[in-house]
C-alpha cells in the first residue's frame, strides 16, 4: 500500500487527517486491525527478510559495527516475534475513553474528563526495525496515527514493514495513511518531523543518548524523553551481604545492554570491609570488570582504577563503577551529580535511611532492596512498553498505552451561563 | 532579601538547589510560608506601589499603551487583592504525596506511584505583576522553586514583590533562593531560562500569542503551552432560541478580554432564519460588533462583512465573527481549520449531534448547551488556576496545583531479583 504524498510534510498532513477516523475507532476495530497487521507481517516474512538482507549488505559494506548489524538483522524467527508482539498489544485493554475525573458544578453543568488519543505520534529511532512495528502497533492501539523516522541503515526493512502494515489497514477498510514513514526524506525528513508542531502531537525518540539529545534540543513538537540510565545502587551500612550481592549481580548481568542495568555501586564506608570483597568477587565471576576508586582497590583484586568519567558513563556492558562513600549524604550527593534520573536502589535494613532515600532521590523509579532491572513496563504489569520516560512532564518511568493518550473535558449543560 | 548570584545561570542553580528542601516541606510549612508571604506583601504595600509608580512613569514615557498601563498598575487595593489570592492558594490541599497508583508484583515487590514536585518551575510573562505573585505562590504550594521572568515593563514592581516574598521565606527559616527572578538580565536572561534544560523542569509562558509562540519554538525546557482561544459556539438546527441567545451573549460579553470568551458563532443554515436576527440583535444591544458572512448580512442589519482573517482572530474585545454553515459537518470542518483547541460549545437538542460534537471536536474542553466562560480552574473547582493548557502533553484544559506536580514510582522489595 503506497502513498501518493511526495514530501515529508504531505505525509504528516495525511497522518493528521487519518488520525480523525482512527481516533473514533472502537476497541474491537483497533484490536482487529492489529491482528491483521500481525498476520500480514508473518505472511510477508520472506519479503521482509529479503529487504533486511539488502540493508545488512549495505551496512556491512558501509562499515556498520557488528553490534548494530545484529540489532538490524531480521530472520524469520525474529519476524515471527514481531508479529507476536503486535498480537500481545492487540490483547491489551483500550486506553481510550477511560473516565479520569467527574464533577458537577453547583449550577448543574456536568464535567467528565476522558482519555483521548493524542492524534499523531511521531518517533525517531535508529536501526531497530522492531521499533517500527512496535511503535506503530502501540500508537494504533491507543487510537493514534503514527509518523516514523527509522534511519537510513534500516530503510529497506522499514519500508517493507510499513508497506505490509498499511496494506493490512487498507484490507480492513481503515485509512492506511494512519501509518507514515519519512525515511526516504533523510535528515530533512527528520528535521521536518521535529518541527511539525500543530501536525504531530508528541514525539518519542528511541535510541542513543546522542540521538535523544538532538531531538530534545531541536524539536518544537513536545518530546517525551526516554533515556539513558546511569543507574545507581547504594549498599548501606546495614545491607545484608546476600541481598547486596544478588541484587548488584542481577542488576548488572541479567541484561547489561539495557537502560535499567546498574552502572555504579556506592558502598557505605562502614560496610566496605564486609561487602566490597564478596560483591566484587561475585561480579568478576560473572565476567564483570569493576572500575573502582582507591578504597575499592584496597579491598579487592583485579580492579581497574575509576576516573571521573566512569561515574558519568552508561556502560551498557559488563563494566561497573564502584565507589566507597562516607555516609548516605555522600551517596545522595553522588547520585544528584551523576544520575540520569532513571532508577536508583538502596540495599539497607535501616528504616530511616530507606525513607530518606525514597523521599530525596529525584528519579523516575526509586527502589529499596530490589534489582533495578524491574523498571520495565512489562514487569510493572503494563503489558507493553512505549519507553521509559526520564523527564517529569506527562509521563515518568515506564510508559504503557495510557501514556500515549491525552485527555479532554466534556461539559454538558442545559443553558447555563456564567454569572 | 537579596541574592549574591550575579548571573541568570547562577540564580537558576540556586533555585535548583533550594528545590531540594522546598520539595521536602510538609503541608503546614508550605501553607505557613504562603501566609507569611501574603502578610509581607500587604505590609509592604506602600513600597510596592512606589516601585510600580516608577514602572508606570517609564511606561508612560516609553509609549506603553493605556491598556498595558492599566494591566501593570498596582494601587493599595490591588496589592491587597494579591495578598488575598496568596491566602486562597495557601488554603488549598497539598498536591504532593497523593498516591496515584499502587501495585504489587507477583514476586512481592510493592510499587507506589506518588505525586512529587517538579523541582523548578519557570515562567515567562509580560507586564503582569499579579503573575509574579500568583506563579510563585502556586509553585511553592506545590513544593517547587520558581524562576520568574516578568519583562522589563514591570521590572521595579516585580523586584519589590520578589524581595518581599524572599524575605518572608527567610523569616520562616525557608531557603529564600526558592524564588528567583532573571529580570535584570533582560532578553539574555529569558534566553538562558528557555535553555536551562536539566535545571528548570518546566516552563509556563503567560501572555500574548506571540510570546507563547516564541517560548514554544525556542525553549529546550519542556513547555506547558497556555494559550490563545479562538473559541467557537455552534448553533445547531434544533438550538432553542433562548439558550442560543443567552449562551452567545454571555460567552462574548461577560468578560470579552479573556481566552474562554467566544470569538466565532457558526449557525446551521436550517436555523439561520430563526436565530441569526435575534442573536445578532441581542449582541448588538450589548455593544458587540458582529462580523458576518454574506448569509448573516442578509438576515441582520449592522453587520461588518467578515474576511478570512476574522475566522482566525482572537478578538479579545466586543467583536464576534458569525457564519452560516450548511450542516454539522461544515461546522466541524470550520472548527478543525480555525480552532486553537481551547473550548468549543454546541447549542442543540439533537442527541446524535451532541454525541458527535463531543467525540469529534479536538479541544481541551468540549461543551454542549453552556457558556464557554466556564472553562476556568476556579469554575471547575480547582481553587486556583495555573493557566489553561491548549497542548495535549501532561495537562489539557484548566490546570490546578496538581498539574504543577510530576510523579515517581517507589518500589519496596526484600531482596528480589529479576529471573
Amino acid at each position: 500500500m503506497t502513498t501518493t504524498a511526495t514530501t515529508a510534510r504531505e505525509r504528516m498532513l495525511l497522518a493528521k487527517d487519518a488520525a480523525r477516523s482512527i481516533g473514533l475507532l472502537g476497541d474491537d476495530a483497533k484490536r482487529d486491525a492489529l491482528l491483521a497487521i500481525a498476520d500480514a507481517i508473518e505472511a510477508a516474512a520472506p519479503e521482509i527478510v529479503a529487504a533486511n538482507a539488502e540493508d545488512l549488505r549495505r551496512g556491512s559494506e558501509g562499515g556498520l559495527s557488528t553490534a548494530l548489524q545484529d540489532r538490524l538483522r531480521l530472520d524469520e524467527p525474529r519476524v515471527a516475534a514481531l508479529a507476536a508482539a503486535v498480537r500481545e498489544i492487540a490483547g491489551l485493554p483500550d486506553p481510550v475513553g477511560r473516565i479520569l475525573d467527574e464533577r458537577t458544578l453547583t449550577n448543574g453543568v456536568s464535567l467528565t474528563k476522558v482519555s483521548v488519543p493524542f492524534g499523531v505520534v511521531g518517533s525517531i529511532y535508529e536501526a531497530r526495525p522492531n521499533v517500527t512495528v512496535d511503535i506503530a502497533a502501540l500508537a494504533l492501539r491507543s487510537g493514534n496515527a503514527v509518523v516514523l523516522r527509522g534511519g537510513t541503515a534500516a530503510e529497506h526493512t522499514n519500508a517493507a514493514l510499513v508497506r505490509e502494515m498499511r496494506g493490512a489497514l487498507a484490507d480492513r477498510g481503515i485509512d492506511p495513511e494512519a501509518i507514515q514513514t519519512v525515511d526516504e526524506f533523510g535528515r530533512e525528513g527528520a528535521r521536518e518531523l521535529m518541527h511539525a508542531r500543530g501536525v504531530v502531537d508528541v514525539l518519542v525518540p528511541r535510541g542513543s543518548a546522542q540521538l535523544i539529545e538532538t531531538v530534545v534540543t531541536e524539536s518544537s513538537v513536545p518530546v517525551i524523553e526516554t533515556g539513558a540510565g546511569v543507574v545507581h545502587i547504594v549498599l548501606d551500612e546495614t545491607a545484608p551481604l546476600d541481598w547486596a550481592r544478588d541484587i548488584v549481580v542481577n542488576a548488572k548481568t541479567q541484561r547489561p545492554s539495557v537502560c535499567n542495568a546498574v552502572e555504579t555501586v556506592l558502598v557505605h564506608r562502614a560496610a566496605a570491609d564486609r561487602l566490597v570483597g564478596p560483591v566484587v568477587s561475585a561480579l568478576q565471576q560473572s565476567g564483570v570488570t569493576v572500575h573502582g576508586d582507591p578504597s575499592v582497590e584496597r579491598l579487592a583484586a583485579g580492579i581497574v582504577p575509576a576516573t571521573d568519567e566512569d561515574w558519568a558513563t552508561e556502560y551498557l556492558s559488563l563494566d561497573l563503577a564502584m565507589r566507597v562513600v562516607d555516609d548516605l549524604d555522600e551517596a545522595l550527593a553522588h547520585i544528584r551529580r551523576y544520575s540520569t534520573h532513571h532508577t536508583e536502589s538502596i540495599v539497607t535494613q535501616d528504616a530511616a535511611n530507606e525513607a530518606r532515600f525514597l523521599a530525596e532521590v529525584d528519579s523516575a523509579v526509586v527502589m529499596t532492596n530490589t534489582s533495578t532491572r524491574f523498571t520495565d513496563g512489562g514487569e510493572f504489569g503494563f503489558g507493553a512498553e512505549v519507553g521509559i520516560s526520564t523527564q517529569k512532564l506527562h509521563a515518568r518511568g515506564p510508559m504503557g498505552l495510557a501514556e500515549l493518550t491525552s485527555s479532554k473535558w466534556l461539559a454538558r449543560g442545559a443553558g447555563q451561563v456564567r454569572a
Side-chain angles (χ1 to χ4, degrees), chain A residues 21 48 97 108-109 112 145 150 182 239 244 248 252 273 384 404 406:
Chain A
S21 56
I48 293 165
V109 171
T112 313
V182 294
V248 169
K252 179 76 257 182
D273 284 347
L404 285 185
S406 179

Side-chain angles (χ1 to χ4, degrees), chain A residues 5-20:
Chain A
T6 54
T7 67
R9 179 81 187 172
E10 274 174 46
R11 292 212 183 157
M12 292 188 280
L13 289 171
L14 287 173
K16 183 181 162 85
D17 195 52
R20 287 168 46 210

Side-chain angles (χ1 to χ4, degrees), chain A residues 36 42 46 48 68 85 88 119 124 126 135 178 186 190 244 247 296 303 364 376 382 385 392 405 410:
Chain A
E42 222 159 32
I48 293 165
L68 282 178
E88 210 167 296
I124 298 185
E126 285 166 333
I135 289 277
I247 288 171
V296 173
I303 301 295
D376 176 277
F382 296 166
E385 185 177 280
K392 295 183 186 174
T405 64
L410 308 178

Side-chain angles (χ1 to χ4, degrees), chain A residues 15 57 66 80 106 110 160 169 179 206 249 284 294 303 317 358 362:
Chain A
R57 191 186 58 73
T66 319
T106 50
S110 87
L169 291 188
I179 303 179
R206 295 269 292 263
V249 170
Q284 289 170 338
I303 301 295
S317 64
L358 290 172
D362 181 27

Side-chain angles (χ1 to χ4, degrees), chain A residues 236 328 346 348-359 368-369:
Chain A
D236 198 18
L328 183 58
I346 188 170
T348 185
Q349 301 259 50
D350 181 319
N353 284 356
E354 179 169 321
R356 268 197 74 191
F357 194 81
L358 290 172
T368 64
N369 298 319

Side-chain angles (χ1 to χ4, degrees), chain A residues 252-266:
Chain A
K252 179 76 257 182
T253 67
Q254 201 253 349
R255 199 169 167 206
S257 64
V258 290
C259 59
N260 60 18
V262 68
E263 305 295 4
T264 300
V265 171
L266 302 169

Side-chain angles (χ1 to χ4, degrees), chain A residues 357-368:
Chain A
F357 194 81
L358 290 172
E360 294 186 30
V361 173
D362 181 27
S363 296
V365 185
V366 189
M367 299 177 155
T368 64

